[in-house]
Amino acid sequence: MADLNFILFISIVAPLLMMLIVCRDRTRELLLFVVMGTIVCLVCGELNTFVCSLVPFSQEYCVRNITPLIEELMKALPILVFAFIYEPSRRAL
């Protein structure tokens, strides 16, 4: 089943990466953040599996308590990258 995650990831990201070549300016930036979000989603799924296999809690506990924490932290990463790379004003952010 893990291979299916990677196949789905490649089938989503490959066309988006090809579109990055064609797009320009603001569209390219937005598309890049969509690709980054997809990458974060895959990493988050793998990280959740890894962390839940390490902790001595039940799978139900992991799904209810640990997984949401990891997902929210990982979702904040693209926003932090945007904030530090482009340094927008507080209003634009």
Side-chain angles (χ1 to χ4, degrees):
M1 191 66 155
D3 293 333
L4 186 60
N5 290 338
F6 289 110
I7 292 170
L8 183 62
F9 171 74
I10 291 170
S11 65
I12 290 172
V13 170
L16 293 175
L17 290 175
M18 287 186 246
M19 285 177 56
L20 278 174
I21 298 168
V22 178
C23 296
R24 297 181 188 259
D25 301 329
R26 186 76 175 153
T27 307
R28 180 177 283 174
E29 290 176 12
L30 294 173
L31 194 57
L32 184 62
F33 284 108
V34 170
V35 170
M36 284 177 53
T38 309
I39 291 169
V40 165
C41 181
L42 178 72
V43 170
C44 187
E46 295 298 319
L47 190 61
N48 283 334
T49 304
F50 177 71
V51 169
C52 287
S53 68
L54 289 180
V55 295
F57 305 117
S58 67
Q59 187 168 359
E60 180 182 351
Y61 180 84
C62 287
V63 169
R64 288 187 180 181
N65 298 313
I66 296 173
T67 301
L69 179 66
I70 292 172
E71 287 178 5
E72 294 303 321
L73 290 173
M74 294 297 284
K75 279 194 276 185
L77 283 179
I79 296 170
L80 292 174
V81 167
F82 174 75
F84 286 119
I85 290 177
Y86 295 106
E87 297 178 3
S89 66
R90 284 182 178 251
R91 185 172 209 164
L93 186 61

